[in-house]
Amino acid sequence: MGDDQASARCRVVVVGGGFGGLETVRALADAPVDVTVIDRRNHHLFQPLLYQVATASLNPSEIAAPIRRILRQQANAEVFLGNVVGVDRASRKVLLLDGEVEYDYLVLAAGVTHSYFGHDEWARYAPGLKTITDALEMRRRIFIAFEAAEREGHPGRRDAWLTFVIVGAGPTGVEMAGALAEIARRTLRSDFRHIDPRSARIILVEGAPRVLPAMRERLSVKARAQLVKLGVQVRTDSQVTSIDETGVSIGEDHISARTVLWAAGVSASPLAGTLGVPLDRAGRVLVNPDLTLPGDDRIYVIGDLASITQKGKPVPGVAPAAMQQGKHAGLNIERANEGLKPEPFHYRDKGTMATIGRAAGVADIGGLRLSGALAWLCWLLVHIWFLIGFRNRFVVMLEWARSYLTYEKQARLITGEVENLLLEPEAAAPTRPDGGA
Amino acid sequence: MGDDQASARCRVVVVGGGFGGLETVRALADAPVDVTVIDRRNHHLFQPLLYQVATASLNPSEIAAPIRRILRQQANAEVFLGNVVGVDRASRKVLLLDGEVEYDYLVLAAGVTHSYFGHDEWARYAPGLKTITDALEMRRRIFIAFEAAEREGHPGRRDAWLTFVIVGAGPTGVEMAGALAEIARRTLRSDFRHIDPRSARIILVEGAPRVLPAMRERLSVKARAQLVKLGVQVRTDSQVTSIDETGVSIGEDHISARTVLWAAGVSASPLAGTLGVPLDRAGRVLVNPDLTLPGDDRIYVIGDLASITQKGKPVPGVAPAAMQQGKHAGLNIERANEGLKPEPFHYRDKGTMATIGRAAGVADIGGLRLSGALAWLCWLLVHIWFLIGFRNRFVVMLEWARSYLTYEKQARLITGEVENLLLEPEAAAPTRPDGGA
C-alpha cells in the first residue's frame, strides 16, 4: 500500500486483531507483502484474563494493548480502526461501514460474540463476557448488588441482591464463580454495616451433567469439589428456561437473583453469515483443510470464526488453536504468493486448564492431569508467560501477589453514576436498613 | 443508627465522599456519633490526577478507591451509595432519589460540576473533566482522533482530526495541554503509517490575559514559555464564542478541530440551589464564618460547594482547602454536640502548583517560587504523598517511572466499539489514505 505511490506488492488484509489475526500478521513480517489489520477496537485483548477485569482484580490496560503499538516495529503492517460489514469477493474488497479496502488475500479472524440460544431478550438481564466494556458492566453489576443490599431493608429483596447466578460452567463460568466467592467471603468481609457479604449465594448453573464439560471427567469432579469448598452452589443438568429482572428459572424452579452473569453460549461473528458459504450450528465457517473458504482460495478463515475437524474432533475455540491457525494462514499466503500450493492445517493440542479461586484449579496438559494448588500455579505461569507483549507483565504479577496476600481487589470501581438503586424492578418504597425512613 | 436497635446517638450525615467529606468523617472517628456518608459514586477520586487518566498515563483504579474500603476501619461510619436530590430542613431529612435519611447534623460536600457559562449545547462537543467517566470519554476522543486521521484521505479533514483545542488555561488545562503534546510528539511517534502525529496542533485557549491566572504573574510567564517549548499554541485574551462539530470560534476567528476539551468553568452542585439560601455567581453557598448554612446551624457546607472569603480573598476551590474545611466542620459538630459554640474557620494557604509535561512545571509554596524540573519534582512528591490511602502509591510510582523512561502510555485503550469513524460530521465519502477506494 506504500503511502503515496501505486504499489504492486501483494496486499493482505486481516480482519480482527485477536490471537489469530496478530499471528497471521507476525508470520508475514518478512514476506514481500503489505498487511492491513482492521479491527473495530484499538486494542488486542488477552481474553483468558477478562474475568479478572470483571471481578476487579485487574485493570483493563493490564490485559489489553493497542494493536498499533504491538505492531509498531513491523514496517509492512498498518492498522485501521474500522467496522467490517462484509466482503465483495468479486472485486476483492473488504467493506467497512465507512469505506472499503482492497485485498489480494484476506484473513477473517473476527471471532465470536455471546449467544443466548435464541433468547436475545436475556441479554439485558444476563450480560456476557467478550469485551472490556462487557467486563466493566459485569463489575458494575456485581458491586452495585452489594451496595443495594446494604441499603435494602426488606429481607426478601435483600436476599435477591445477594444472590448471583452464573449461567454456564465452562472455564469462564468456573473462574467467575470462584472469583465471586472470594469477593463475597474475603474481599468485602469487613466493608458493610448492615449485611454480611459472606452470606451471598453464588450459584453456578450448567445444562450438561458436569462442570468443565470439555475436560476429562476426573478433572470435572475435582473442579466441582473445589467450587463447593469455596461455597459455590453447583447445579448441573440444569437447563435455564427463563431469565428476567426477578431472576432465573430452571423449569419449575425459580431462583430470585438480581445479578445474573452469562458464561454459556457463543456464536460466530455475523460476518460469517455474509459470505454465502455453509456454516455450522454455531454460525462458524466450515473451512477447507488448508483454512481457505470453500470456493475462494483468496480468503482464509481462522480462530473462533472457523469450524474445522481433525481426527474426528473439532478444533476447540481456544487461544492456542487460533494462534496456530493464524500462523498457518500467514505461511500459506506466503506460499501462495510464491506460486506454491497451500498446505493443510494440523492442530497440536497443548492441553487445557482452568483456575478456581485462590490456589485451586485443574489442568490437563498432555498426559499430565493436575488439580489444586499445582494446577493453579501452572495456570498462573502459563498466563503470565503469554502476557509477553503486554509489557505490563510485571505490574500484573505485582497485583496478583498483592491480591493473593491481602485478598484486596484493586479495581473495585463502579464507573458512571447511580440513579435509582432500589426502585427497580418493583418500584418498591425503599427504607433505611434500620427502618429509619 | 445502631443496626437493629433504636439509638439516641447523634446522627451525622455527610453528602459527598470527596476530599472535604472524608476529612469530616475522619475528624469524627472518636466522637460519640454515628456517621453516614452518601455518595452517588462508590469511590473517592484523587481529582488532581484525573487528567492523567484522560491522557492514558494512569488507570482509573490508580487514582480512585472505594469510599467503603477507605472507611472500613472506622466503626462509627457507614457508607450509602445514593443520589441526594434535596434536604427537608424542617424534619431534618436528606432526600434521595430512592429514599431518605434522617440527620442531627448534615455536612454538604457535594462539590462542583463543569459549567459552560450558559452554553450547555457545547457540552456535546467539549467534554469536561470531573469524573472517571469524563476522563475515559476524553481519552476515547483523543485516541479516536489519531485513528480517524490515519484513515482520512482528505487533507483538510485530516488536519481537523489532528487539531486539539483545550478551553481554559487553569491547572487542568495547562496539564492537559502538556500531556497531549507529549502524546503527539513522543508516545505515538512511530505508531502510524499515513500521518505524522508530531504534526498535531494543540491549542490552549484562555479568556484571561495569561495562563494560570490564579497564580503569580511571573509563574504564568514561565508556564507559558514551557508550554510553547512543548509545541503548544497558547492563545490568551481569547474568549470562545462558539463550539460545534466543526471546531471552536473565537470571535471572527474559527479553528477547525474535531477534538475540543473543556477545562474552563465550574459551577456548584445543583444541590446548593435547593437550599433556599443566597448563592454566589458560581452557584455556591455563601456560608457563615463557622461554615454553617445561614439560618441553620445543623447544616455545614464545605469544599467547592461553599463560598467563603478570608482577608478579602476567596478561599480557593482546591483539595487542601476542602480538607481543612472538612476537618473543621467535623470538629465544630463535635463541639456543638458537647454544647459548645462552633468556631470560625481559618484557611491556611499551602501554595499552588501545576505540572507541564515531563520534568516541567511551576510551583508557588509560601515564599518559594519554583519553575522547571524542580517544580515538577515538587509536584510529583506532593501528589504521591497524598495518594496515601490509595494503597497503590507504589504502582503509580512504578507507572510514572516507566512512562518517564519510555514515553509509553500504559492505558491507551478506546473502550466500546467504533461504528462510523469518518462519516460524521459531514457524511463525507471516506477513502483510504492512499486513494485506494
Side-chain angles (χ1 to χ4, degrees):
Chain A
M1 290 154 197
D3 210 348
D4 292 308
Q5 61 190 58
S7 153
R9 298 243 290 186
C10 171
R11 290 167 299 182
V12 179
V13 174
V14 177
V15 176
F19 288 109
L22 280 189
E23 281 300 310
T24 301
V25 182
R26 283 174 173 149
L28 292 168
D30 300 318
V33 301
D34 287 314
V35 185
T36 303
V37 184
I38 307 176
D39 199 306
R40 59 185 168 174
R41 300 192 186 87
N42 83 327
H43 51 272
H44 170 68
L45 185 62
F46 195 81
Q47 201 111 31
L49 289 184
L50 194 55
Y51 83 95
Q52 297 229 4
V53 174
T55 53
S57 283
L58 292 177
N59 272 303
S61 77
E62 284 155 7
I63 62 155
I67 298 168
R68 191 172 287 300
R69 195 185 75 189
I70 294 171
L71 297 175
R72 178 189 287 173
Q73 307 293 343
Q74 188 168 332
N76 72 343
E78 62 173 3
V79 179
F80 278 8
L81 187 67
N83 207 327
V84 173
V85 291
V87 179
D88 181 344
R89 287 163 60 182
S91 62
R92 287 199 212 137
K93 281 177 182 166
V94 175
L95 309 174
L96 312 186
L97 261 187
D98 52 4
E100 48 189 45
V101 180
E102 292 179 22
Y103 67 83
D104 293 310
Y105 290 97
L106 175 61
V107 180
L108 297 176
V112 289
T113 180
H114 24 261
S115 151
Y116 292 88
F117 307 131
H119 290 280
D120 287 347
E121 72 276 15
W122 294 355
R124 264 184 77 184
Y125 310 110
L129 188 63
K130 278 290 155 199
T131 67
I132 283 179
T133 308
D134 293 342
L136 295 177
E137 174 61 18
M138 276 199 180
R139 182 197 288 181
R140 202 181 71 83
R141 293 190 185 210
I142 292 166
F143 289 100
I144 285 268
F146 288 101
E147 295 292 336
E150 172 80 345
R151 286 191 51 202
E152 178 60 69
H154 183 284
R157 287 199 292 266
R158 191 190 293 179
D159 288 349
W161 278 118
L162 288 176
T163 303
F164 300 83
V165 178
I166 297 154
V167 183
T172 299
V174 166
E175 285 162 352
M176 283 289 301
L180 248 174
E182 190 183 315
I183 287 172
R185 310 273 179 270
R186 307 298 303 246
T187 307
L188 298 181
R189 194 163 46 165
S190 324
D191 285 13
F192 293 86
R193 303 289 180 257
H194 303 281
I195 58 165
D196 181 352
R198 287 172 294 185
S199 69
R201 289 197 303 158
I202 292 138
I203 304 171
L204 180 63
V205 178
E206 168 63 46
R210 54 194 179 94
V211 303
L212 298 173
M215 292 182 89
R216 282 166 220 267
E217 189 154 2
R218 243 183 55 198
L219 290 176
S220 286
V221 173
K222 299 228 166 165
R224 184 182 188 129
Q226 292 175 54
L227 285 165
V228 169
K229 201 173 151 203
L230 280 170
V232 176
Q233 298 176 24
V234 181
R235 299 183 58 160
T236 45
D237 278 321
S238 297
Q239 213 78 45
V240 169
T241 48
S242 142
I243 304 177
D244 61 24
E245 70 274 23
T246 67
V248 173
S249 293
I250 300 168
E252 294 298 293
D253 193 8
H254 183 74
I255 305 170
S256 286
R258 292 299 295 269
T259 313
V260 184
L261 307 174
W262 187 258
V266 291
S267 66
S269 159
L271 193 56
T274 69
L275 297 169
V277 294
L279 307 178
D280 75 359
R281 268 183 52 201
R284 295 174 302 180
V285 176
L286 295 154
V287 296
N288 293 327
D290 61 1
L291 302 178
T292 55
L293 194 72
D296 192 336
D297 60 8
R298 295 284 181 165
I299 301 185
Y300 289 79
V301 183
I302 63 170
D304 289 354
L305 199 62
S307 177
I308 183 166
T309 303
Q310 294 209 331
K311 297 175 196 153
K313 279 172 61 183
V315 174
V318 294
M323 291 169 84
Q324 291 174 29
Q325 290 174 14
K327 187 171 177 193
H328 192 81
L331 297 177
N332 267 354
I333 288 170
E334 207 176 339
R335 288 179 64 85
N337 193 36
E338 291 164 0
L340 300 170
K341 234 178 89 88
E343 295 193 331
F345 170 70
H346 295 293
Y347 174 56
R348 293 172 301 285
D349 187 354
K350 300 268 185 71
T352 49
M353 47 179 76
T355 178
I356 306 159
R358 291 162 60 80
V362 289
D364 185 348
I365 307 161
L368 208 61
R369 249 102 62 201
L370 304 173
S371 70
L374 206 58
W376 180 80
L377 197 68
C378 198
W379 179 91
L380 200 72
L381 292 176
V382 166
H383 283 80
I384 287 177
W385 174 259
F386 278 107
L387 271 172
I388 280 182
F390 283 81
R391 287 188 164 215
N392 29 27
R393 237 182 339 159
F394 180 63
V395 170
V396 171
M397 265 172 59
L398 202 82
E399 280 307 329
W400 274 347
R402 198 184 63 162
S403 171
Y404 187 81
L405 294 171
T406 65
Y407 288 98
E408 199 56 79
K409 301 283 181 183
Q410 60 158 339
R412 266 169 57 193
L413 302 182
I414 302 170
T415 41
E417 285 167 26
V418 174
E419 291 290 329
N420 286 300
L421 202 57
L422 303 183
L423 286 187
E424 346 123 67
E426 310 162 58
T431 54
R432 277 177 67 97
D434 55 2
Chain B
M1 294 156 189
D3 208 347
D4 290 308
Q5 60 192 56
S7 152
R9 298 243 292 185
C10 170
R11 289 166 300 182
V12 180
V13 174
V14 177
V15 177
F19 287 110
L22 281 190
E23 281 301 310
T24 301
V25 182
R26 283 174 175 150
L28 292 167
D30 299 320
V33 301
D34 287 314
V35 185
T36 303
V37 185
I38 308 176
D39 199 306
R40 59 183 167 177
R41 300 190 187 87
N42 82 327
H43 50 273
H44 170 67
L45 186 61
F46 195 81
Q47 201 111 30
L49 290 183
L50 194 54
Y51 84 94
Q52 297 229 4
V53 174
T55 53
S57 282
L58 292 177
N59 273 304
S61 77
E62 283 153 9
I63 62 155
I67 298 169
R68 190 171 289 298
R69 195 187 71 189
I70 294 171
L71 297 175
R72 178 189 289 173
Q73 306 294 341
Q74 187 169 333
N76 72 343
E78 62 173 2
V79 180
F80 278 7
L81 187 66
N83 208 328
V84 173
V85 292
V87 179
D88 181 344
R89 286 162 61 182
S91 62
R92 289 201 209 134
K93 280 178 184 164
V94 175
L95 309 174
L96 311 187
L97 262 187
D98 52 5
E100 50 190 43
V101 181
E102 292 178 23
Y103 67 84
D104 293 309
Y105 290 97
L106 174 61
V107 179
L108 297 176
V112 289
T113 178
H114 24 261
S115 150
Y116 292 89
F117 307 130
H119 290 280
D120 287 347
E121 72 277 14
W122 295 354
R124 263 184 79 186
Y125 309 111
L129 186 64
K130 278 289 155 200
T131 66
I132 283 179
T133 308
D134 292 342
L136 295 177
E137 174 61 19
M138 276 200 180
R139 183 197 287 181
R140 201 182 72 84
R141 291 189 187 210
I142 292 166
F143 290 99
I144 285 268
F146 288 100
E147 295 292 336
E150 172 83 345
R151 286 190 52 201
E152 178 61 69
H154 183 284
R157 287 198 292 266
R158 190 189 295 181
D159 287 350
W161 278 118
L162 288 175
T163 303
F164 299 83
V165 178
I166 297 154
V167 184
T172 299
V174 165
E175 285 163 352
M176 284 288 302
L180 248 173
E182 190 184 315
I183 287 172
R185 310 271 180 271
R186 308 297 303 248
T187 308
L188 298 181
R189 195 162 47 165
S190 324
D191 285 15
F192 293 86
R193 303 290 179 256
H194 304 283
I195 58 165
D196 182 351
R198 286 172 295 184
S199 69
R201 290 196 303 158
I202 292 136
I203 304 171
L204 181 62
V205 178
E206 168 62 47
R210 55 194 180 91
V211 304
L212 299 173
M215 292 183 91
R216 283 166 217 269
E217 189 156 359
R218 242 183 59 197
L219 290 175
S220 285
V221 173
K222 299 229 167 165
R224 184 182 186 128
Q226 292 176 53
L227 284 165
V228 169
K229 201 173 150 201
L230 280 169
V232 175
Q233 298 176 25
V234 181
R235 300 182 60 161
T236 46
D237 277 320
S238 296
Q239 212 77 47
V240 169
T241 48
S242 141
I243 304 177
D244 62 21
E245 71 274 23
T246 68
V248 173
S249 292
I250 301 167
E252 293 298 292
D253 193 9
H254 184 74
I255 305 170
S256 288
R258 291 301 294 270
T259 312
V260 184
L261 306 175
W262 187 259
V266 291
S267 66
S269 158
L271 194 56
T274 69
L275 298 170
V277 294
L279 307 177
D280 74 359
R281 268 182 51 202
R284 295 174 303 180
V285 177
L286 294 155
V287 294
N288 292 326
D290 61 0
L291 302 177
T292 55
L293 195 71
D296 192 335
D297 60 6
R298 296 282 181 167
I299 301 185
Y300 289 78
V301 183
I302 62 169
D304 289 355
L305 198 62
S307 176
I308 184 166
T309 304
Q310 294 208 333
K311 298 175 195 158
K313 280 171 61 183
V315 173
V318 296
M323 292 168 84
Q324 290 175 30
Q325 291 175 14
K327 190 173 175 189
H328 191 81
L331 297 177
N332 267 353
I333 288 170
E334 209 175 339
R335 288 179 65 83
N337 194 35
E338 291 164 0
L340 302 170
K341 234 178 86 90
E343 296 193 329
F345 170 70
H346 295 293
Y347 174 55
R348 294 172 302 284
D349 187 354
K350 301 268 185 68
T352 48
M353 47 178 75
T355 177
I356 306 159
R358 290 161 61 78
V362 290
D364 185 347
I365 305 161
L368 208 63
R369 252 101 65 203
L370 304 173
S371 71
L374 206 57
W376 180 81
L377 197 66
C378 198
W379 178 92
L380 201 70
L381 292 176
V382 167
H383 283 80
I384 287 178
W385 174 260
F386 279 106
L387 272 174
I388 280 181
F390 283 82
R391 288 189 163 213
N392 29 27
R393 239 184 336 161
F394 180 64
V395 170
V396 171
M397 267 173 57
L398 202 82
E399 280 308 328
W400 274 347
R402 197 184 65 163
S403 171
Y404 188 82
L405 295 171
T406 64
Y407 289 95
E408 199 56 79
K409 301 281 182 184
Q410 61 160 339
R412 268 168 57 194
L413 302 182
I414 302 170
T415 40
E417 284 169 24
V418 174
E419 292 289 330
N420 285 300
L421 202 57
L422 303 183
L423 287 186
E424 349 122 66
E426 312 162 56
T431 54
R432 275 177 69 98
D434 55 4

